[in-house]
Amino acid sequence: MALCCLVTVSKAAWRKWLPGAQRSIVPARAEGLWASLWRSSSSRGFAGRPPGITQTPTFGFLFDIDGVLVRGRHAIPAAREAFQKLTDSNGQLRVPVVFVTNAGNCFRHAKAQELSSALGLEVSPEQIILSHSPLRLFRQFHEKCVLVSGQGPIEENARNLGFQNVITIEALRKAYPLLDMVDQSRRPKELPPPTTDFPTIEGVILFGEPVRWETNLQLIIDVLLSNGNPGAELSAVPYPHIPVLACNMDLLWMAEAKMPRFGHGTFLLCLENIYRKVTGRELKYEALIGKPSIVTYHYAEYLIKQQAEKQGWESPIRRLYAVGDNPMSDIYGANLYNSYLKAAHQTQAQAGVLGSVVAAGPQKDFNLGNDSNVLMESCESILVCTGVYRHHRDMPPVSNVCVRDTVFHGHRDFCFDPSLVEASYVVQDVNEAVKLAFEKETWS
């Protein structure tokens, strides 16, 4: 099975994949980051091992949030039951847990506080992976002038991730007021003077769905068609265009409403189709991150191992259980990462070289840190019926029944493999998912 690149660049990159090729899992621009994360981890995170633990875990959980643990601002009742099983009498986690969400319109510490309140236990920011968290890896863009789109504290989030020259859509609109013409009430009453000394935009980062779609779509297209100079008039459309990095590819997500809501994947779909209709060419992404991208799951594995080390659990973490409600992101991503792990073990066995794995795209080796010589064995997917999935069809009577959607809701640049949307297990809710994993692990 050909694996999707952890950083998806184009459909063409997929066709370059050759079985048996020995490549690493993170692009060269991320080289050295993991080692620095390990060096800095001693000053953060989790307390020592709680008293009274008689079992040392060799497995961990990756929990999606919306539709699995909460619906909007309200906790799903089964989530509190699940975390009663996951914690000891002192409220300390008995196994490593990371929360992996495609949300990105907030800070990690704010999401941790929100979860702490909903679940009734202390959640650390170091346990949270937002859709944009892996952007820390993309150092080659950190000094470039980038346009950011989304909502919430996106400018501060971008700076916290390492980006030093950030321009928001609103700042661009104010600099070039003639570009935003859909809302007649915002059109300038008089012809504004020409804008001077505005920096050339060198990249576009799409953090999540914005509030004013028409404004964001128009200005992003303007930037792409003008090679980063929306005040200029070019004789020809530049192609390839300046780099575009996108976080969160979810077409739909589940809130309090009875039916799923549009996600950032829907916004990307609009942007891609407008660009193709205007130029006759495909919009290209330098990177697509967030679930189901492999880079997000690899980052989650790193945090799981870091958490286990902080707790003093000596046995290496071997297996992951990824619990989600969206077959096209949670299940697809977990299965994709499981396929990647299998390929890693196969390549290691054939070549006898740790760290060499099969992946799509030209990438270089890197050192993951203290636990780089221990490969994860598996990442099993568990689909729950409390979010997006239950609106597709009723829960099958058999827990491991084949689940395939007839319509592919995944992103354009991810090859559709029906087997990747088949969950390892289908259960009613997250409490049942935890019970299932405990039974498989013979965990009391």
Side-chain angles (χ1 to χ4, degrees), residues 122-286:
E122 184 177 353
V123 176
S124 165
E126 283 71 34
Q127 291 175 277
I128 303 292
I129 296 181
L130 302 173
S131 62
H132 57 249
S133 295
L135 282 175
R136 295 178 185 275
L137 303 176
F138 295 85
R139 292 180 174 177
Q140 72 175 54
F141 296 103
H142 287 179
E143 296 182 4
K144 294 183 181 296
C145 180
V146 295
L147 175 69
V148 295
S149 170
Q151 60 181 288
I154 54 173
E155 183 175 5
E156 190 171 350
N157 271 331
R159 297 189 188 281
N160 289 340
L161 290 166
F163 296 94
Q164 301 170 24
N165 302 302
V166 180
I167 296 174
T168 63
I169 290 289
E170 185 61 22
L172 181 63
R173 190 187 75 83
K174 289 181 177 179
Y176 297 97
L178 295 179
L179 298 182
D180 185 19
M181 302 296 284
V182 173
D183 187 344
Q184 296 186 19
S185 67
R186 303 214 302 178
R187 293 180 182 177
K189 300 297 186 290
E190 299 178 357
L191 191 65
T195 300
T196 58
D197 299 327
F198 196 83
T200 299
I201 295 171
E202 301 171 282
V204 178
I205 302 178
L206 308 175
F207 276 87
E209 60 270 27
V211 175
R212 285 182 171 266
W213 284 33
E214 78 285 355
T215 298
N216 283 258
L217 290 168
Q218 178 69 75
L219 269 61
I220 292 169
I221 292 292
D222 288 337
V223 166
L224 297 178
L225 297 183
S226 64
N227 210 28
N229 295 282
E233 184 177 352
L234 301 182
S235 57
V237 175
Y239 198 82
H241 52 70
I242 62 175
V244 178
L245 296 84
C247 314
N248 180 4
M249 296 157 273
D250 285 354
L251 188 76
L252 304 169
W253 68 287
M254 200 68 207
E256 291 97 338
K258 300 299 183 182
M259 300 196 323
R261 303 294 85 198
F262 290 157
H264 193 217
T266 306
F267 178 82
L268 298 180
L269 185 63
C270 294
L271 182 66
E272 293 155 9
N273 281 282
I274 292 171
Y275 185 86
R276 184 174 65 246
K277 193 70 174 179
V278 170
T279 67
R281 297 172 182 262
E282 293 287 346
L283 179 71
K284 302 292 185 181
Y285 293 98
E286 180 73 17

Side-chain angles (χ1 to χ4, degrees), residues 5-149:
C5 178
L6 82 154
V7 179
T8 305
V9 290
S10 67
K11 289 181 179 177
W14 291 57
R15 302 188 187 101
K16 296 178 182 177
W17 180 79
L18 295 174
Q22 295 178 17
R23 304 186 180 100
S24 180
I25 50 181
V26 171
R29 53 180 167 266
E31 208 167 297
L33 175 66
W34 302 104
S36 66
L37 285 173
W38 274 103
R39 288 193 296 270
S40 64
S41 65
S42 60
S43 62
R44 306 188 310 233
F46 314 96
R49 182 191 305 183
I53 286 186
T54 58
Q55 287 178 290
T56 300
T58 57
F59 66 101
F61 286 96
L62 308 180
F63 289 113
D64 180 38
I65 297 177
D66 293 301
V68 174
L69 304 177
V70 300
R71 291 277 297 273
R73 296 182 179 274
H74 303 287
I76 294 172
R80 283 184 173 260
E81 296 179 47
F83 276 86
Q84 289 174 359
K85 294 180 174 65
L86 289 167
T87 53
D88 62 16
S89 58
N90 297 316
Q92 299 293 316
L93 286 170
R94 302 165 58 210
V95 297
V97 168
V98 167
F99 304 93
V100 187
T101 175
N102 269 349
N105 56 356
C106 62
F107 298 120
R108 283 206 303 172
H109 65 80
K111 181 61 72 174
Q113 291 173 357
E114 180 184 315
L115 273 180
S116 297
S117 175
L119 300 177
L121 77 157
E122 184 177 353
V123 176
S124 165
E126 283 71 34
Q127 291 175 277
I128 303 292
I129 296 181
L130 302 173
S131 62
H132 57 249
S133 295
L135 282 175
R136 295 178 185 275
L137 303 176
F138 295 85
R139 292 180 174 177
Q140 72 175 54
F141 296 103
H142 287 179
E143 296 182 4
K144 294 183 181 296
C145 180
V146 295
L147 175 69
V148 295
S149 170

Side-chain angles (χ1 to χ4, degrees), residues 186-433:
R186 303 214 302 178
R187 293 180 182 177
K189 300 297 186 290
E190 299 178 357
L191 191 65
T195 300
T196 58
D197 299 327
F198 196 83
T200 299
I201 295 171
E202 301 171 282
V204 178
I205 302 178
L206 308 175
F207 276 87
E209 60 270 27
V211 175
R212 285 182 171 266
W213 284 33
E214 78 285 355
T215 298
N216 283 258
L217 290 168
Q218 178 69 75
L219 269 61
I220 292 169
I221 292 292
D222 288 337
V223 166
L224 297 178
L225 297 183
S226 64
N227 210 28
N229 295 282
E233 184 177 352
L234 301 182
S235 57
V237 175
Y239 198 82
H241 52 70
I242 62 175
V244 178
L245 296 84
C247 314
N248 180 4
M249 296 157 273
D250 285 354
L251 188 76
L252 304 169
W253 68 287
M254 200 68 207
E256 291 97 338
K258 300 299 183 182
M259 300 196 323
R261 303 294 85 198
F262 290 157
H264 193 217
T266 306
F267 178 82
L268 298 180
L269 185 63
C270 294
L271 182 66
E272 293 155 9
N273 281 282
I274 292 171
Y275 185 86
R276 184 174 65 246
K277 193 70 174 179
V278 170
T279 67
R281 297 172 182 262
E282 293 287 346
L283 179 71
K284 302 292 185 181
Y285 293 98
E286 180 73 17
L288 286 167
I289 62 175
K291 295 178 293 188
S293 173
I294 289 179
V295 69
T296 295
Y297 286 85
H298 193 75
Y299 190 53
E301 177 189 333
Y302 158 74
L303 291 183
I304 285 283
K305 290 180 176 179
Q306 183 191 66
Q307 189 178 148
E309 183 182 79
K310 285 294 177 186
Q311 291 282 24
W313 294 324
E314 297 177 356
S315 300
I317 303 300
R318 297 285 192 178
R319 293 167 298 282
L320 296 175
Y321 294 91
V323 185
D325 70 309
N326 191 331
M328 294 300 170
S329 60
D330 303 319
I331 303 307
Y332 191 108
N335 290 341
L336 181 64
Y337 195 59
N338 190 55
S339 297
Y340 153 77
L341 292 173
K342 291 180 180 179
H345 281 281
Q346 183 178 6
T347 302
Q348 177 183 323
Q350 292 175 347
V353 179
L354 285 170
S356 295
V357 300
V358 178
Q363 300 161 11
K364 297 178 67 176
D365 291 341
F366 77 106
N367 190 337
L368 185 58
N370 297 349
D371 210 17
S372 61
N373 62 332
V374 179
L375 286 176
M376 192 69 65
E377 290 178 2
S378 63
C379 179
E380 296 207 54
S381 56
I382 305 179
L383 180 63
V384 299
C385 303
T386 51
V388 170
Y389 173 69
R390 72 173 186 170
H391 290 276
H392 289 243
R393 64 191 69 180
D394 293 331
M395 187 180 74
V398 182
S399 64
N400 62 350
V401 72
C402 171
V403 177
R404 301 188 184 200
D405 279 345
T406 57
V407 178
F408 180 50
H409 287 175
H411 188 268
R412 174 199 72 183
D413 289 358
F414 279 76
C415 299
F416 178 54
D417 182 342
S419 67
L420 293 180
V421 296
E422 298 173 16
S424 303
Y425 303 92
V426 181
V427 297
Q428 181 59 44
D429 53 42
V430 65
N431 187 42
E432 294 297 322

